[in-house]
Amino acid sequence: ISEGSLPVRYLGLPLLASRLSHMDCKVLIDKLMSRTSSWMSNILSFGGRLQLLASVLFSIQVFWCTSFILPVSITKECDRILRNFLWHGIGNTKKCGNVASKVCRPKDEGGLGIKDCRAWNKAAIMKFGSWSWRNILKSRSVLEHKILYEVADGNSFSLWFDPWFFGESIAGLYGYSVIQDSGIPTNAKVSSVI
């Protein structure tokens, strides 16, 4: 067997030993561009282009989004290609479409259901673990500032294990020995000490 070198491709994706670069993603951009230029999109209606975008083009980028943390420049380029295809019928036009923000809302809210590539990439990487686990853990900070705890009567919070105490759990802050020393059961609720 002859010695090879990275990157190699498996299922169309690059296998890398380092961070994904802009050049590694050129295949994704080229695939999107070839699809948008190969279709007879000038004779398609807006609805036809929207259907192709939702079923084919978005699937190509989702395949990459669920496998890698894409560089920001690539996600912007993917959005640009899809936007240009939807509004003008080709992916490499220099013209811009006047897009209202409600177009990107879900269909049940009156939008077209088109998803932003960057947001989709962040959501997709939060559900798997791999070489990018450290970056996934960094994305927790996006959500932790959005969580608010309201103790109220305390019947729905575990005294020891829920993060009701300044965003931390008692057991997490002081260890399990504080549970044993207190004599209060491990299944106690916050209401038991209010």
Side-chain angles (χ1 to χ4, degrees):
I1 299 173
S2 59
E3 182 178 341
S5 62
L6 293 174
V8 296
R9 296 207 170 277
Y10 178 70
L11 297 176
L13 297 173
L15 297 178
L16 302 166
S18 62
R19 188 179 194 157
L20 196 67
S21 71
H22 190 278
M23 287 305 296
D24 297 323
C25 298
K26 188 174 182 329
V27 176
L28 170 62
I29 299 300
D30 290 344
K31 189 173 277 195
L32 288 174
M33 288 301 294
S34 68
R35 290 294 178 122
T36 58
S37 60
S38 66
W39 289 321
M40 302 286 275
S41 50
N42 289 334
I43 59 174
L44 289 174
S45 66
F46 178 81
R49 289 195 304 266
L50 178 61
Q51 186 62 40
L52 282 174
L53 186 147
S55 60
V56 179
L57 296 176
F58 193 68
S59 298
I60 294 170
Q61 93 178 12
V62 164
F63 183 60
W64 281 70
C65 284
T66 56
S67 303
F68 298 111
I69 298 172
L70 298 177
V72 175
S73 61
I74 293 298
T75 58
K76 287 181 179 178
E77 183 72 9
C78 288
D79 286 339
R80 186 189 65 77
I81 292 168
L82 284 121
R83 181 180 60 240
N84 288 341
F85 175 72
L86 178 64
W87 296 109
H88 305 292
I90 51 175
N92 60 354
T93 184
K94 299 293 184 194
K95 295 186 281 187
C96 292
N98 294 328
V99 181
S101 60
K102 80 180 216 180
V103 173
C104 295
R105 291 182 187 163
K107 288 182 180 178
D108 58 349
E109 294 180 14
L112 296 177
I114 300 170
K115 298 173 185 74
D116 171 67
C117 184
R118 186 75 185 146
W120 180 257
N121 190 212
K122 283 183 179 180
I125 62 164
M126 286 188 191
K127 68 177 186 176
F128 79 98
S130 70
W131 59 270
S132 56
W133 184 244
R134 280 176 293 161
N135 289 324
I136 294 170
L137 291 177
K138 287 179 189 175
S139 67
R140 290 185 303 178
S141 62
V142 174
L143 296 175
E144 70 184 4
H145 301 293
K146 307 284 185 202
I147 299 172
L148 297 173
Y149 294 94
E150 186 177 343
V151 176
D153 63 357
N155 286 327
S156 59
F157 283 92
S158 167
L159 175 63
W160 306 114
F161 304 109
D162 284 337
W164 63 272
F165 186 68
F166 301 109
E168 296 282 339
S169 69
I170 301 291
L173 283 173
Y174 301 107
Y176 287 94
S177 61
V178 75
I179 300 172
Q180 294 171 348
D181 294 342
S182 71
I184 300 173
T186 57
N187 62 350
K189 302 290 184 188
V190 175
S191 59
S192 66
V193 295
I194 291 180

